[in-house]
Each structure stands twice: as structure tokens, then as C-alpha cells.
Coordinates of all heavy atoms in Angstrom, one line a residue:
M1 N 7.1 -12.9 -8.0 CA 7.5 -11.5 -7.7 C 6.3 -10.6 -7.7 O 5.4 -10.7 -8.5 CB 8.5 -11.0 -8.7 CG 8.8 -9.6 -8.6 SD 10.0 -9.0 -9.8 CE 11.4 -8.8 -8.7
L2 N 6.2 -9.7 -6.7 CA 5.1 -8.7 -6.6 C 5.4 -7.5 -7.5 O 6.5 -6.9 -7.3 CB 5.0 -8.3 -5.2 CG 3.8 -7.5 -4.8 CD1 2.5 -8.3 -5.0 CD2 3.9 -7.0 -3.4
T3 N 4.5 -7.2 -8.4 CA 4.7 -6.0 -9.2 C 3.4 -5.2 -9.1 O 2.4 -5.6 -8.6 CB 4.9 -6.4 -10.7 OG1 3.8 -7.2 -11.1 CG2 6.2 -7.2 -10.9
S4 N 3.4 -4.0 -9.6 CA 2.3 -3.1 -9.6 C 1.8 -2.9 -11.0 O 2.7 -2.6 -11.9 CB 2.6 -1.8 -8.9 OG 2.9 -2.0 -7.5
A5 N 0.6 -2.9 -11.2 CA 0.0 -2.6 -12.6 C 0.1 -1.2 -12.8 O 0.0 -0.3 -11.9 CB -1.4 -3.1 -12.6
H6 N 0.2 -0.7 -14.1 CA 0.2 0.7 -14.5 C -1.2 1.1 -14.8 O -1.6 0.8 -15.9 CB 1.1 0.9 -15.6 CG 1.2 2.3 -16.0 ND1 2.3 3.2 -15.7 CD2 0.4 3.1 -16.7 CE1 2.1 4.4 -16.1 NE2 0.9 4.4 -16.8
A7 N -1.9 1.6 -13.9 CA -3.3 2.0 -14.1 C -3.4 3.5 -13.7 O -3.4 3.9 -12.6 CB -4.2 1.2 -13.2
S8 N -3.5 4.3 -14.8 CA -3.6 5.8 -14.5 C -4.9 6.1 -13.8 O -6.0 5.6 -14.1 CB -3.5 6.5 -15.9 OG -3.6 7.9 -15.7
H9 N -4.8 7.0 -12.9 CA -6.0 7.5 -12.2 C -6.5 8.8 -12.9 O -6.0 9.8 -12.8 CB -5.7 7.9 -10.7 CG -6.8 8.2 -9.9 ND1 -7.6 7.3 -9.3 CD2 -7.3 9.4 -9.6 CE1 -8.6 7.9 -8.6 NE2 -8.4 9.2 -8.8
A10 N -7.6 8.6 -13.7 CA -8.1 9.7 -14.5 C -8.7 10.8 -13.7 O -9.2 10.6 -12.6 CB -9.1 9.1 -15.5
N11 N -8.6 12.0 -14.2 CA -9.1 13.3 -13.6 C -8.7 13.4 -12.2 O -9.5 13.8 -11.3 CB -10.7 13.2 -13.7 CG -11.2 13.1 -15.1 OD1 -10.6 13.7 -16.0 ND2 -12.1 12.2 -15.4
H12 N -7.4 13.3 -11.9 CA -6.9 13.5 -10.5 C -6.1 14.8 -10.5 O -5.0 14.8 -10.8 CB -6.0 12.3 -10.2 CG -5.6 12.3 -8.8 ND1 -6.4 12.0 -7.7 CD2 -4.4 12.5 -8.2 CE1 -5.8 12.1 -6.6 NE2 -4.5 12.4 -6.8
A13 N -6.8 15.8 -10.1 CA -6.2 17.2 -10.1 C -5.3 17.4 -8.9 O -4.4 18.3 -8.9 CB -7.3 18.2 -10.1
H14 N -5.5 16.7 -7.8 CA -4.7 16.8 -6.6 C -3.2 16.5 -6.9 O -2.9 15.5 -7.5 CB -5.2 16.0 -5.4 CG -4.4 16.0 -4.2 ND1 -4.5 17.1 -3.4 CD2 -3.5 15.2 -3.6 CE1 -3.7 16.9 -2.3 NE2 -3.1 15.7 -2.5
Q15 N -2.3 17.3 -6.3 CA -0.9 17.0 -6.5 C -0.4 16.4 -5.2 O -0.3 17.1 -4.1 CB -0.1 18.3 -6.8 CG -0.4 18.9 -8.1 CD 0.0 18.1 -9.2 OE1 1.2 17.5 -9.2 NE2 -0.8 17.9 -10.3
H16 N 0.0 15.1 -5.2 CA 0.6 14.5 -4.0 C 2.0 14.9 -3.8 O 2.7 15.0 -4.8 CB 0.5 12.9 -4.2 CG -0.9 12.4 -4.1 ND1 -1.7 12.5 -2.9 CD2 -1.7 11.8 -5.0 CE1 -2.8 11.9 -3.1 NE2 -2.9 11.5 -4.4
G17 N 2.4 15.0 -2.6 CA 3.8 15.4 -2.3 C 4.0 15.4 -0.8 O 3.0 15.1 0.0
A18 N 5.1 15.8 -0.3 CA 5.5 15.7 1.1 C 4.5 16.5 2.0 O 4.3 16.0 3.1 CB 6.9 16.3 1.3
A19 N 3.9 17.5 1.6 CA 3.0 18.3 2.5 C 1.6 18.3 2.0 O 0.8 19.2 2.3 CB 3.5 19.7 2.6
C20 N 1.1 17.3 1.2 CA -0.2 17.3 0.6 C -1.3 16.9 1.6 O -2.5 17.0 1.3 CB -0.3 16.4 -0.6 SG -0.3 14.6 -0.2
G21 N -1.0 16.3 2.8 CA -2.0 16.0 3.8 C -2.3 14.5 3.8 O -3.2 14.1 4.6
H22 N -1.9 13.7 2.8 CA -2.2 12.3 2.8 C -1.1 11.5 3.3 O 0.1 11.9 3.2 CB -2.5 11.9 1.3 CG -3.7 12.5 0.8 ND1 -3.7 13.4 -0.3 CD2 -5.0 12.4 1.1 CE1 -4.9 13.8 -0.5 NE2 -5.8 13.2 0.3
V23 N -1.4 10.3 3.9 CA -0.4 9.5 4.5 C 0.6 9.0 3.4 O 0.1 8.5 2.3 CB -1.0 8.2 5.2 CG1 0.0 7.2 5.6 CG2 -1.8 8.7 6.4
A24 N 1.8 9.1 3.6 CA 2.8 8.7 2.6 C 3.4 7.3 3.0 O 3.7 7.1 4.2 CB 4.0 9.7 2.6
V25 N 3.5 6.4 2.0 CA 3.9 5.1 2.3 C 5.0 4.7 1.4 O 4.9 4.7 0.2 CB 2.7 4.1 2.0 CG1 3.2 2.6 2.3 CG2 1.5 4.4 2.9
P26 N 6.2 4.5 2.0 CA 7.4 4.1 1.1 C 7.0 2.8 0.4 O 6.5 1.8 1.1 CB 8.5 3.9 2.1 CG 8.1 4.6 3.3 CD 6.6 4.6 3.4
H27 N 7.3 2.7 -0.9 CA 7.0 1.4 -1.6 C 8.0 1.3 -2.7 O 8.0 2.0 -3.7 CB 5.6 1.5 -2.2 CG 5.2 0.3 -2.9 ND1 4.3 0.3 -3.9 CD2 5.4 -1.0 -2.7 CE1 4.0 -0.9 -4.4 NE2 4.7 -1.7 -3.6
S28 N 8.9 0.3 -2.5 CA 10.0 0.0 -3.5 C 10.8 1.3 -3.8 O 11.4 1.9 -2.9 CB 9.5 -0.6 -4.7 OG 8.9 -1.9 -4.4
D29 N 10.7 1.7 -5.1 CA 11.5 2.9 -5.5 C 10.7 4.2 -5.6 O 11.1 5.2 -6.2 CB 12.1 2.6 -6.9 CG 11.1 2.4 -7.9 OD1 9.9 2.3 -7.6 OD2 11.4 2.3 -9.1
H30 N 9.5 4.2 -4.9 CA 8.7 5.4 -5.0 C 7.9 5.5 -3.7 O 8.0 4.7 -2.8 CB 7.7 5.4 -6.2 CG 6.8 4.2 -6.1 ND1 7.1 2.9 -6.5 CD2 5.5 4.2 -5.6 CE1 6.0 2.2 -6.3 NE2 5.1 2.9 -5.8
T31 N 7.1 6.5 -3.6 CA 6.2 6.8 -2.4 C 4.8 6.7 -2.9 O 4.4 7.3 -3.9 CB 6.5 8.1 -1.8 OG1 7.9 8.1 -1.4 CG2 5.6 8.3 -0.6
D32 N 3.9 5.9 -2.2 CA 2.5 5.9 -2.4 C 1.8 6.9 -1.4 O 2.3 7.1 -0.4 CB 1.9 4.5 -2.2 CG 2.4 3.5 -3.2 OD1 2.7 3.8 -4.3 OD2 2.4 2.3 -2.8
Y33 N 0.7 7.4 -1.8 CA -0.1 8.2 -1.0 C -1.5 7.7 -0.8 O -2.2 7.3 -1.8 CB -0.2 9.7 -1.6 CG 1.1 10.3 -1.6 CD1 2.0 10.2 -2.7 CD2 1.6 11.1 -0.5 CE1 3.3 10.8 -2.7 CE2 2.8 11.6 -0.5 CZ 3.7 11.5 -1.6 OH 4.9 12.1 -1.6
V34 N -2.0 7.5 0.4 CA -3.3 7.0 0.7 C -4.3 8.0 0.4 O -4.3 9.1 0.9 CB -3.4 6.5 2.2 CG1 -4.8 6.0 2.5 CG2 -2.3 5.6 2.6
H35 N -5.3 7.7 -0.5 CA -6.3 8.6 -0.9 C -7.5 7.9 -1.3 O -7.6 7.1 -2.2 CB -5.8 9.4 -2.1 CG -6.6 10.6 -2.5 ND1 -6.2 11.4 -3.6 CD2 -7.7 11.1 -2.0 CE1 -7.1 12.4 -3.7 NE2 -8.0 12.2 -2.7
D36 N -8.6 8.2 -0.5 CA -10.0 7.6 -0.8 C -9.9 6.1 -0.8 O -10.6 5.4 -1.6 CB -10.5 8.1 -2.2 CG -10.8 9.6 -2.2 OD1 -11.0 10.1 -1.1 OD2 -10.8 10.2 -3.3
G37 N -9.2 5.5 0.1 CA -9.2 4.0 0.3 C -8.3 3.2 -0.6 O -8.4 2.1 -0.7
H38 N -7.5 4.0 -1.4 CA -6.6 3.3 -2.3 C -5.3 4.0 -2.3 O -5.1 5.1 -1.6 CB -7.2 3.0 -3.7 CG -7.7 4.2 -4.3 ND1 -9.1 4.4 -4.5 CD2 -7.2 5.3 -4.9 CE1 -9.3 5.5 -5.0 NE2 -8.2 6.1 -5.3
L39 N -4.3 3.5 -3.0 CA -3.0 4.2 -3.1 C -2.7 4.8 -4.4 O -2.9 4.1 -5.4 CB -1.9 3.1 -2.7 CG -2.1 2.7 -1.2 CD1 -1.9 1.2 -1.0 CD2 -1.2 3.4 -0.3
H40 N -2.1 6.0 -4.4 CA -1.7 6.7 -5.5 C -0.2 6.8 -5.5 O 0.4 6.9 -4.5 CB -2.3 8.1 -5.6 CG -3.8 8.1 -5.8 ND1 -4.5 9.3 -5.6 CD2 -4.7 7.2 -6.1 CE1 -5.8 9.0 -5.9 NE2 -5.9 7.7 -6.1
R41 N 0.4 6.9 -6.7 CA 1.8 7.2 -6.9 C 1.9 8.2 -8.0 O 1.2 8.1 -9.0 CB 2.6 5.9 -7.2 CG 2.4 5.4 -8.6 CD 3.3 4.2 -8.9 NE 4.6 4.6 -9.2 CZ 5.6 3.8 -9.6 NH1 5.3 2.5 -9.9 NH2 6.7 4.2 -9.9
V42 N 2.8 9.1 -7.9 CA 3.1 10.1 -8.9 C 3.9 9.4 -9.9 O 4.9 8.7 -9.6 CB 3.9 11.3 -8.3 CG1 4.2 12.3 -9.4 CG2 3.0 12.0 -7.2
H43 N 3.5 9.5 -11.2 CA 4.3 8.8 -12.3 C 4.3 9.8 -13.5 O 3.3 10.1 -14.1 CB 3.5 7.5 -12.7 CG 4.2 6.8 -13.8 ND1 3.7 6.6 -15.0 CD2 5.4 6.2 -13.8 CE1 4.5 5.9 -15.7 NE2 5.5 5.7 -15.0
E44 N 5.5 10.3 -13.8 CA 5.7 11.2 -14.8 C 4.8 12.4 -14.7 O 4.8 13.1 -13.7 CB 5.6 10.5 -16.2 CG 6.7 9.5 -16.4 CD 6.5 8.7 -17.7 OE1 5.5 8.9 -18.4 OE2 7.4 7.8 -17.9
D45 N 3.9 12.6 -15.6 CA 3.0 13.8 -15.5 C 1.6 13.5 -15.0 O 0.7 14.3 -15.2 CB 2.9 14.5 -16.9 CG 2.3 13.6 -17.9 OD1 2.1 12.4 -17.7 OD2 2.0 14.2 -19.0
H46 N 1.4 12.3 -14.4 CA 0.0 11.9 -13.9 C 0.1 11.1 -12.7 O 1.2 10.9 -12.2 CB -0.7 11.2 -15.0 CG 0.0 9.9 -15.4 ND1 1.1 9.8 -16.3 CD2 -0.2 8.6 -15.0 CE1 1.5 8.6 -16.4 NE2 0.8 7.8 -15.7
T47 N -1.0 10.7 -12.2 CA -1.1 9.9 -11.0 C -1.6 8.5 -11.3 O -2.6 8.4 -12.1 CB -2.0 10.5 -9.9 OG1 -1.5 11.8 -9.6 CG2 -2.1 9.7 -8.7
D48 N -1.0 7.5 -10.8 CA -1.4 6.1 -11.0 C -2.0 5.5 -9.7 O -1.6 5.9 -8.6 CB -0.2 5.2 -11.4 CG 0.3 5.4 -12.8 OD1 -0.4 6.0 -13.6 OD2 1.4 5.0 -13.1
E49 N -2.9 4.5 -9.9 CA -3.3 3.7 -8.8 C -2.1 2.8 -8.6 O -1.5 2.3 -9.6 CB -4.5 2.8 -9.2 CG -5.7 3.6 -9.6 CD -6.4 4.3 -8.4 OE1 -6.2 3.8 -7.3 OE2 -7.1 5.2 -8.6
C50 N -1.7 2.5 -7.4 CA -0.6 1.6 -7.1 C -1.1 0.4 -6.4 O -1.2 0.4 -5.2 CB 0.5 2.3 -6.3 SG 2.0 1.4 -6.2
E51 N -1.4 -0.6 -7.1 CA -2.0 -1.8 -6.6 C -1.1 -3.0 -6.9 O -0.7 -3.1 -8.1 CB -3.5 -2.0 -7.0 CG -4.4 -0.9 -6.6 CD -4.5 -0.8 -5.0 OE1 -4.3 -1.8 -4.4 OE2 -4.8 0.3 -4.5
P52 N -0.9 -3.9 -6.0 CA 0.0 -5.0 -6.3 C -0.8 -6.0 -7.2 O -2.0 -6.1 -7.2 CB 0.2 -5.7 -4.9 CG -1.0 -5.3 -4.1 CD -1.4 -3.9 -4.6
T53 N 0.0 -6.7 -8.0 CA -0.5 -7.8 -8.8 C 0.2 -9.1 -8.2 O 1.3 -9.0 -7.8 CB -0.2 -7.7 -10.3 OG1 1.2 -7.6 -10.5 CG2 -1.0 -6.5 -10.8
G54 N -0.5 -10.2 -8.1 CA 0.1 -11.4 -7.6 C -0.2 -11.5 -6.1 O -0.8 -10.7 -5.5
H55 N 0.4 -12.5 -5.5 CA 0.2 -12.8 -4.1 C 1.5 -13.2 -3.5 O 2.1 -14.2 -3.9 CB -0.8 -14.0 -4.0 CG -1.1 -14.5 -2.6 ND1 -1.2 -15.8 -2.3 CD2 -1.3 -13.8 -1.5 CE1 -1.4 -15.9 -1.0 NE2 -1.5 -14.7 -0.5
T56 N 2.0 -12.4 -2.6 CA 3.3 -12.6 -2.0 C 3.2 -12.8 -0.5 O 2.8 -11.8 0.2 CB 4.3 -11.5 -2.3 OG1 4.4 -11.4 -3.7 CG2 5.7 -11.8 -1.7
V57 N 3.3 -14.0 0.1 CA 3.2 -14.2 1.5 C 4.5 -13.7 2.2 O 5.6 -13.9 1.7 CB 3.1 -15.7 1.8 CG1 3.1 -16.0 3.3 CG2 1.8 -16.3 1.1
H58 N 4.3 -13.0 3.3 CA 5.4 -12.5 4.1 C 5.8 -13.7 5.0 O 5.0 -13.9 6.0 CB 5.0 -11.3 4.9 CG 6.2 -10.7 5.6 ND1 6.9 -9.7 5.1 CD2 6.7 -11.1 6.8 CE1 7.9 -9.4 6.0 NE2 7.8 -10.2 7.0
Q59 N 6.8 -14.4 4.7 CA 7.2 -15.6 5.5 C 7.7 -15.2 6.9 O 8.3 -14.1 7.1 CB 8.3 -16.3 4.8 CG 8.0 -16.8 3.4 CD 6.9 -17.9 3.4 OE1 6.7 -18.6 4.4 NE2 6.1 -18.0 2.4
E60 N 7.4 -16.0 7.8 CA 7.9 -15.9 9.2 C 7.5 -14.5 9.8 O 8.4 -13.9 10.5 CB 9.4 -16.1 9.3 CG 9.8 -17.6 8.8 CD 11.3 -17.8 8.8 OE1 12.0 -17.1 9.5 OE2 11.7 -18.7 8.1
H61 N 6.3 -14.1 9.7 CA 5.9 -12.9 10.3 C 5.0 -13.2 11.5 O 3.8 -13.6 11.4 CB 5.0 -12.1 9.2 CG 4.6 -10.8 9.8 ND1 5.5 -9.8 10.0 CD2 3.4 -10.3 10.1 CE1 4.9 -8.7 10.4 NE2 3.6 -9.0 10.5
D62 N 5.6 -13.2 12.7 CA 5.0 -13.6 13.9 C 4.1 -12.5 14.5 O 3.2 -12.8 15.3 CB 6.0 -14.0 15.0 CG 6.8 -15.3 14.5 OD1 6.2 -16.0 13.8 OD2 7.9 -15.4 14.9
H63 N 4.4 -11.2 14.2 CA 3.7 -10.1 14.8 C 2.3 -10.1 14.3 O 2.0 -10.3 13.1 CB 4.4 -8.8 14.4 CG 3.6 -7.6 14.9 ND1 3.6 -7.2 16.2 CD2 2.9 -6.7 14.2 CE1 2.9 -6.1 16.3 NE2 2.5 -5.7 15.1
R64 N 1.3 -9.9 15.2 CA -0.1 -9.8 14.8 C -0.5 -8.3 14.7 O -0.6 -7.7 15.7 CB -1.0 -10.5 15.8 CG -2.5 -10.3 15.6 CD -3.4 -11.3 15.3 NE -3.2 -12.7 15.2 CZ -3.3 -13.3 14.0 NH1 -3.5 -12.6 12.9 NH2 -3.2 -14.6 13.9
H65 N -0.8 -7.8 13.5 CA -1.2 -6.4 13.3 C -2.7 -6.3 13.7 O -3.5 -7.2 13.5 CB -1.1 -6.0 11.9 CG 0.4 -6.0 11.4 ND1 1.2 -5.0 11.9 CD2 1.0 -6.7 10.5 CE1 2.4 -5.2 11.3 NE2 2.3 -6.2 10.5
Q66 N -2.9 -5.2 14.4 CA -4.3 -4.9 14.8 C -4.3 -3.4 15.3 O -3.2 -2.9 15.5 CB -4.7 -5.8 16.0 CG -3.8 -5.7 17.2 CD -4.1 -6.8 18.2 OE1 -5.1 -7.6 18.0 NE2 -3.3 -6.9 19.2
P67 N -5.5 -2.9 15.5 CA -5.5 -1.5 16.0 C -4.7 -1.4 17.3 O -4.8 -2.2 18.2 CB -7.0 -1.2 16.2 CG -7.7 -2.1 15.2 CD -6.8 -3.4 15.2
G68 N -3.8 -0.4 17.4 CA -3.0 -0.2 18.6 C -1.7 -1.0 18.6 O -1.0 -0.9 19.6
C69 N -1.4 -1.7 17.5 CA -0.2 -2.5 17.5 C 1.1 -1.7 17.4 O 2.2 -2.3 17.5 CB -0.2 -3.6 16.4 SG 0.0 -3.0 14.8
G70 N 1.0 -0.4 17.0 CA 2.2 0.4 16.9 C 2.5 0.7 15.5 O 3.5 1.5 15.2
H71 N 1.9 0.1 14.5 CA 2.2 0.3 13.1 C 1.1 1.1 12.5 O -0.1 1.0 12.9 CB 2.4 -1.0 12.4 CG 3.5 -1.8 12.8 ND1 3.4 -2.9 13.6 CD2 4.8 -1.6 12.7 CE1 4.6 -3.4 13.9 NE2 5.5 -2.6 13.4
V72 N 1.4 1.9 11.5 CA 0.5 2.8 10.8 C -0.6 1.9 10.1 O -0.2 1.0 9.3 CB 1.2 3.8 9.8 CG1 0.1 4.5 9.0 CG2 2.1 4.7 10.6
A73 N -1.8 2.2 10.4 CA -2.9 1.5 9.7 C -3.4 2.3 8.5 O -3.6 3.5 8.5 CB -4.1 1.3 10.7
V74 N -3.5 1.6 7.3 CA -3.9 2.2 6.1 C -5.1 1.6 5.6 O -5.1 0.4 5.1 CB -2.8 2.1 5.0 CG1 -3.2 2.8 3.8 CG2 -1.4 2.8 5.6
P75 N -6.3 2.3 5.6 CA -7.5 1.7 5.0 C -7.2 1.4 3.5 O -6.7 2.3 2.8 CB -8.5 2.8 5.1 CG -8.0 3.6 6.2 CD -6.5 3.6 6.1
H76 N -7.5 0.2 3.0 CA -7.2 -0.2 1.6 C -8.3 -1.0 1.1 O -8.4 -2.2 1.4 CB -5.9 -0.9 1.6 CG -5.4 -1.2 0.2 ND1 -4.7 -2.4 -0.1 CD2 -5.6 -0.6 -1.0 CE1 -4.4 -2.4 -1.3 NE2 -5.0 -1.3 -1.9
G77 N -9.3 -0.4 0.3 CA -10.4 -1.2 -0.2 C -11.2 -1.8 0.9 O -11.7 -1.0 1.8
D78 N -11.4 -3.1 1.0 CA -12.2 -3.7 2.0 C -11.4 -4.2 3.2 O -12.0 -5.0 4.0 CB -13.0 -4.9 1.3 CG -12.1 -6.0 0.8 OD1 -10.8 -5.8 0.9 OD2 -12.6 -7.0 0.4
H79 N -10.2 -3.8 3.4 CA -9.4 -4.3 4.5 C -8.5 -3.2 5.0 O -8.5 -2.1 4.5 CB -8.6 -5.5 4.1 CG -7.6 -5.3 3.1 ND1 -8.0 -5.3 1.7 CD2 -6.3 -5.1 3.1 CE1 -6.9 -5.1 1.0 NE2 -5.9 -4.9 1.8
V80 N -7.6 -3.5 6.0 CA -6.7 -2.5 6.5 C -5.3 -3.1 6.3 O -5.0 -4.3 6.6 CB -6.9 -2.2 8.0 CG1 -5.8 -1.3 8.5 CG2 -8.3 -1.6 8.2
D81 N -4.4 -2.4 5.7 CA -3.0 -2.7 5.6 C -2.2 -2.0 6.8 O -2.7 -1.0 7.3 CB -2.3 -2.2 4.3 CG -2.9 -2.9 3.1 OD1 -3.4 -4.0 3.2 OD2 -2.7 -2.4 2.0
Y82 N -1.1 -2.6 7.1 CA -0.2 -2.0 8.2 C 1.1 -1.8 7.6 O 1.7 -2.8 7.0 CB -0.2 -3.0 9.4 CG -1.5 -3.0 10.1 CD1 -2.5 -3.9 9.7 CD2 -1.8 -2.1 11.1 CE1 -3.7 -4.0 10.4 CE2 -3.1 -2.1 11.8 CZ -4.0 -3.1 11.4 OH -5.2 -3.1 12.0
I83 N 1.7 -0.6 7.8 CA 3.1 -0.3 7.4 C 4.1 -1.0 8.4 O 4.0 -0.7 9.6 CB 3.3 1.2 7.3 CG1 2.2 1.9 6.5 CG2 4.7 1.5 6.7 CD1 2.0 1.3 5.1
H84 N 5.0 -1.8 7.9 CA 5.9 -2.5 8.7 C 7.2 -2.8 7.9 O 7.1 -3.4 6.8 CB 5.3 -3.8 9.2 CG 6.1 -4.5 10.2 ND1 5.6 -5.6 10.9 CD2 7.3 -4.3 10.7 CE1 6.5 -6.1 11.7 NE2 7.5 -5.3 11.7
D85 N 8.3 -2.3 8.4 CA 9.6 -2.6 7.8 C 9.6 -2.1 6.3 O 10.2 -2.7 5.4 CB 10.0 -4.0 7.8 CG 10.2 -4.6 9.2 OD1 10.6 -3.7 10.1 OD2 10.1 -5.8 9.4
G86 N 9.0 -0.9 6.1 CA 9.0 -0.3 4.7 C 8.1 -0.9 3.7 O 8.2 -0.5 2.5
H87 N 7.1 -1.8 4.1 CA 6.1 -2.2 3.2 C 4.8 -2.4 3.9 O 4.7 -2.3 5.1 CB 6.6 -3.5 2.5 CG 7.1 -4.5 3.3 ND1 8.3 -5.2 3.2 CD2 6.6 -5.1 4.4 CE1 8.5 -6.1 4.1 NE2 7.5 -6.0 4.9
R88 N 3.8 -2.7 3.2 CA 2.5 -2.9 3.7 C 2.2 -4.4 3.9 O 2.5 -5.2 3.1 CB 1.4 -2.4 2.8 CG 1.5 -0.9 2.5 CD 0.4 -0.4 1.6 NE 0.6 -0.9 0.2 CZ -0.3 -1.2 -0.6 NH1 -1.6 -1.1 -0.4 NH2 0.0 -1.7 -1.8
H89 N 1.6 -4.7 5.0 CA 1.2 -6.0 5.4 C -0.3 -6.1 5.3 O -1.0 -5.2 5.9 CB 1.7 -6.5 6.7 CG 3.1 -6.7 6.8 ND1 3.8 -6.9 8.0 CD2 4.1 -6.9 5.8 CE1 5.1 -7.1 7.7 NE2 5.2 -7.1 6.4
A90 N -0.9 -7.1 4.8 CA -2.4 -7.3 4.8 C -2.6 -8.7 5.2 O -2.0 -9.7 4.8 CB -2.9 -7.1 3.3
Q91 N -3.6 -8.9 6.1 CA -4.0 -10.2 6.6 C -4.7 -10.9 5.5 O -5.6 -10.4 4.8 CB -4.9 -10.1 7.8 CG -5.1 -11.4 8.5 CD -5.7 -11.3 9.8 OE1 -6.4 -10.3 10.1 NE2 -5.6 -12.3 10.7
H92 N -4.4 -12.2 5.3 CA -5.0 -13.0 4.2 C -5.0 -14.5 4.6 O -3.9 -15.1 4.7 CB -4.2 -12.8 2.9 CG -4.8 -13.5 1.7 ND1 -4.1 -14.5 1.2 CD2 -5.9 -13.4 1.1 CE1 -4.8 -15.0 0.2 NE2 -5.9 -14.4 0.1
D93 N -6.1 -15.1 4.7 CA -6.2 -16.6 4.9 C -5.3 -17.1 6.0 O -4.5 -18.1 5.7 CB -6.0 -17.3 3.6 CG -7.2 -17.1 2.7 OD1 -8.3 -16.8 3.1 OD2 -7.0 -17.4 1.5
G94 N -5.2 -16.5 7.1 CA -4.4 -17.0 8.2 C -2.9 -16.6 8.2 O -2.1 -17.2 9.0
H95 N -2.5 -15.8 7.3 CA -1.1 -15.3 7.2 C -1.1 -13.9 6.7 O -2.1 -13.3 6.5 CB -0.3 -16.2 6.1 CG -0.8 -16.1 4.7 ND1 -1.7 -17.0 4.2 CD2 -0.6 -15.2 3.7 CE1 -2.1 -16.6 3.0 NE2 -1.4 -15.5 2.7
W96 N 0.1 -13.3 6.7 CA 0.2 -11.9 6.2 C 0.9 -11.8 4.9 O 1.9 -12.6 4.6 CB 1.1 -11.1 7.3 CG 0.4 -11.0 8.6 CD1 0.5 -11.9 9.6 CD2 -0.6 -10.1 8.9 NE1 -0.3 -11.5 10.6 CE2 -1.0 -10.4 10.2 CE3 -1.1 -9.0 8.3 CZ2 -1.9 -9.6 10.9 CZ3 -2.1 -8.2 9.0 CH2 -2.5 -8.5 10.3
D97 N 0.4 -11.0 4.0 CA 0.9 -10.8 2.7 C 1.7 -9.5 2.7 O 1.4 -8.6 3.4 CB -0.2 -10.7 1.6 CG -0.9 -12.0 1.3 OD1 -0.4 -13.0 1.7 OD2 -1.9 -11.9 0.7
D98 N 2.8 -9.4 1.8 CA 3.4 -8.2 1.5 C 2.5 -7.6 0.4 O 2.2 -8.3 -0.6 CB 4.8 -8.4 0.9 CG 5.9 -8.6 2.0 OD1 5.7 -8.0 3.0 OD2 6.8 -9.4 1.7
H99 N 2.1 -6.4 0.7 CA 1.0 -5.8 -0.2 C 1.6 -4.6 -0.9 O 2.4 -3.9 -0.5 CB -0.1 -5.5 0.7 CG -1.4 -5.7 0.1 ND1 -2.5 -5.0 0.4 CD2 -1.8 -6.6 -0.9 CE1 -3.6 -5.4 -0.3 NE2 -3.2 -6.4 -1.0

């Protein structure tokens, strides 16, 4: 099962929300915001890094994500995730992961 670690983003004065200017990404029961190459989520009175733990292969994913494929591209660390069917896909070793 894919879970997210609880890692508080220290000294984050920006308030993420519907009109904050950052790309909003639906993720399970919350919304992540793309900021400086990683994802933030609002959690109680602070902001967390929202990064997956574990490795979850997206089975039977025939679509090849790439620039211009029609899905929102999200820079994420050293790669690009693509928003598809309410989650992020990341290319990994010849397959796509739910990220």
C-alpha cells in the first residue's frame, strides 16, 4: 500500500489554497500543491511535504506520458509526474508508478 510520510515543511510561511497560484493535485483525501519541485499538503496548522513511501506499480497502464500528451506535467525532484485519473504517474524502470 502506498502511504505518505509525515514530514513537516519547516519555515513555510506561504498559505496554500484554491487561489494561491500553485498547481493543485488531488491526492487521496486531500490536495497537494506543487511548490519548488516537490509537493506540499496543508495539515492542521502547518504544511507537510507529501511524498509517497513504497513502490506501487500502476498495472495495465498503456498510455505513454510525455510532453504534449494531454495530462498535466508536474516537476517532481529529478523527474516529471503526470496527473492522470486523479493521481500522479511517474515513469520507473519501463513501467508507470502511482506516485
Side-chain angles (χ1 to χ4, degrees):
M1 171 179 252
L2 188 67
T3 61
S4 295
H6 182 102
S8 182
H9 185 86
N11 302 318
H12 188 69
H14 177 75
Q15 294 293 320
H16 290 294
C20 75
H22 294 111
V23 173
V25 179
H27 185 210
S28 298
D29 62 350
H30 64 277
T31 300
D32 292 334
Y33 294 90
V34 180
H35 191 179
D36 295 335
H38 50 255
L39 294 140
H40 291 171
R41 71 178 282 189
V42 177
H43 181 245
E44 297 174 356
D45 63 348
H46 61 278
T47 300
D48 287 344
E49 301 286 341
C50 191
E51 296 299 332
T53 57
H55 177 224
T56 304
V57 176
H58 185 97
Q59 300 293 335
E60 300 179 20
H61 185 69
D62 296 330
H63 176 74
R64 169 121 358 250
H65 293 293
Q66 59 190 354
C69 74
H71 295 106
V72 174
V74 178
H76 185 212
D78 64 354
H79 63 278
V80 176
D81 291 343
Y82 291 88
I83 308 303
H84 189 172
D85 294 335
H87 49 232
R88 296 180 291 149
H89 289 168
Q91 190 170 20
H92 179 249
D93 289 339
H95 62 268
W96 294 92
D97 288 347
D98 277 329
H99 217 209

